[in-house]
Amino acid sequence: MDGVPETVTAALADRQVEGQVCLEAGAGVGNTTAGLLAAGAKRVYAVTNDADHAATVRERVGDGNADRLVVIEADLRATPLGTGSVDLVTAHGLCNVLPPADLDAVAAELARVAKPGGRLVVDDYAVPPTDGAVNRLFALENAAARVVDGRPALTFYPVAVLAAVFADHGWTVEHRKTLLDPVPWTEAHLDAHADVVRGYADELPDVIGEPLAAIAADLVSAIGSERTGTMYSLAFRLVDV
Amino acid sequence: METRALGDTGQESTVLTFGSIALNWLEQAGANQLVELVLDHGVNHFDVAPTYGDAELKLGPKLRQYREEVFLGCKTQEREYEGAARKIDRSLNRLGIDTIDLYQIHGLEYEEELDTITADGGALDAIREAKDDGKIDHIGLTSHGDPELILDAIDRIDDLETVMFPLNPVVAGKDGDEYDYEAVLERCEAEGIGTLGIKAFAKGSWPPTDELAEADRPYANWYEPVDTPEGIRERFDFAAAQGLDTVVSPGDPKLVAMVLDAASRSEGMDEARQRALIEEARHDDSPVPEQLHH
Ligand SMILES: C[S@@+](CC[C@H](N)C(=O)[O-])C[C@H]1O[C@@H](n2cnc3c(N)ncnc32)[C@H](O)[C@@H]1O
């Protein structure tokens, strides 16, 4: 199994994971799923709405964990999980890909599937400083997403906003910590974001798509890499509302 | 400069140790000046080896002048009694002193070497004998390649008092037992063994020699070093924050002044920043598929 990033280890450090039924909300490439399994989770439901991600997670962390890992392809606004069935929910890098309307629905669904007194860990990026060069790439990504999907690809929620949205569904903040300060946006990260832009560009007529992809490529080479902003972790507990 | 207990040796070492190999590249007058500069910054722990060209000889004069102020580590790559006994005397001679404070078995790489060293007629016999004779005060070990071997050595050498090993964000970000120096740090902490970090300032390997001939490298280091004031400060702070007792300065004299400045002004590094450096290094050659997040 590939390594668990320090961000994930730090976010889970003071959480009870061993013996717990966990939901990894937005499994991505499986970093947090790997972290939960390594920390002794009884079972991990790794949920993503992306078939490729589901396959990647199975391939990367499935080996030797067949009895503990359940990868589920589903929408986090309505999962097939039972009400009050999960001890610990993790959402690592999920919220920034959820537009505000979806965020609210997801917060509600996570509250539904969690046991009373259940825990939630939300790790995400603070709003990047306005002078960050990466903002130019993120803005391009959002512009392309709006044209193609009618919704933004990325939303960086201030900590207080995120806490308030979850509070509406019974989640109260237990504590907050900083996972990364600064955030290292490496060439690999920027390339991945440029790939997203290229994905949207492919959906558009060449006359728009080609220059869009070219701008993304230019931005990546102009920025190279950048350290900016912070990544935070919020630990919540579910209380009766 | 901050000092830290070097394990249970009783020595309080500055958080920066002067890697005296840097003297090898200087004429005697320059070497003397560099030692003065290092001492001016309060550094009280020096490290040297017989394999570092003329470093022992060049360190000698100033070391003798300030003998009381310097805790000196030296090393041997010998694995058997005869060789080690000879090297101890040779180093004492070349340095012109009576006692080496810390004598380290240098560059342990293979389990078989550990067998040889610890066997009857092995290097440890000579080192312990020298200790009984007052030529050496403490026994240490250095290893560049294998944390598990260091743990084995700790198990097998009861009187081992310090270990020296590589530590930087690149190493810290790598997975797998062959990079698990954290386990070594924990073990040393638990057993009162002193820890010295090397390669704190390593940026990466030099380009292959057909691209950049050895003679054309701008630094004497075995690796390409970080060489800006911010980069050096960051690397020093990172290494010092990992729980090492002391961080060894890089082997090129051109970098030493910057490192002294960084160590003198260090204010530590919080965990979010340490993680940022590790994450940054980890993504340089990540085995994980393309990802948008950290
Ligand atoms: C950036 S990744 C998260 C990384 C992951 N948590 C990790 O630790 O590696 C975001 C994931 O959330 C998924 N996702 C986004 N919106 C979703 C939704 N409405 N329902 C289900 N999954 C969603 C994406 O498909 C992707 O797998």
Side-chain angles (χ1 to χ4, degrees), chain A residues 196-217:
Chain A
V196 175
V197 177
R198 273 187 284 274
Y200 289 121
D202 288 345
E203 309 273 311
L204 295 166
D206 287 353
V207 61
I208 306 171
E210 278 172 10
L212 200 61
I215 296 171

Side-chain angles (χ1 to χ4, degrees), chain A residues 3 5-7 10 29 31 56 60 92 125 178-186 189 192-193 195-196 227 231, chain B residues 172-173 175 182 234 270-284 287-294:
Chain A
E6 298 275 320
T7 44
V29 295
N31 285 324
T56 302
R60 217 183 126 201
H92 182 85
Y125 303 100
T178 304
L179 296 180
L180 294 174
D181 181 8
V183 177
W185 296 102
T186 67
H189 289 107
H193 281 277
D195 273 346
V196 175
R227 294 170 172 184
M231 187 180 197
Chain B
D175 302 309
E182 208 171 308
E234 186 171 279
D270 62 34
E271 290 188 356
R273 194 169 179 90
Q274 292 173 45
R275 281 192 287 271
L277 296 190
I278 293 174
E279 279 297 295
E280 190 171 70
R282 204 172 65 86
H283 283 279
D284 280 349
V288 178
E290 291 275 280
Q291 47 188 295
L292 301 164
H293 66 288
H294 294 82

Side-chain angles (χ1 to χ4, degrees), chain A residues 51-209:
Chain A
D52 289 342
H53 287 174
T56 302
V57 175
R58 268 192 208 101
E59 196 182 311
R60 217 183 126 201
V61 286
D63 267 6
N65 290 308
D67 52 334
R68 295 197 293 150
L69 174 64
V70 187
V71 179
I72 303 174
E73 228 186 291
D75 193 312
L76 282 164
R77 291 172 293 183
T79 70
L81 297 175
T83 299
S85 61
V86 172
D87 299 298
L88 173 67
V89 183
T90 52
H92 182 85
L94 167 71
C95 295
N96 70 81
V97 298
L98 297 178
D102 287 8
L103 178 67
D104 190 64
V106 169
E109 173 67 359
L110 298 183
R112 181 188 70 80
V113 300
K115 289 180 184 168
R119 307 297 161 106
L120 163 70
V121 175
V122 176
D123 306 332
D124 228 292
Y125 303 100
V127 182
T130 45
D131 62 355
V134 285
N135 284 316
R136 289 189 279 155
L137 184 58
F138 297 155
L140 186 73
E141 193 173 332
N142 276 341
R146 281 205 183 85
V147 173
V148 175
D149 281 349
R151 47 172 270 187
L154 297 168
T155 312
F156 297 107
Y157 297 96
V159 189
V161 170
L162 215 127
V165 171
F166 279 88
D168 249 5
H169 300 282
W171 295 106
T172 55
V173 174
E174 286 190 301
H175 64 75
R176 168 192 174 172
K177 79 168 102 171
T178 304
L179 296 180
L180 294 174
D181 181 8
V183 177
W185 296 102
T186 67
E187 216 178 302
H189 289 107
L190 299 187
D191 275 340
H193 281 277
D195 273 346
V196 175
V197 177
R198 273 187 284 274
Y200 289 121
D202 288 345
E203 309 273 311
L204 295 166
D206 287 353
V207 61
I208 306 171

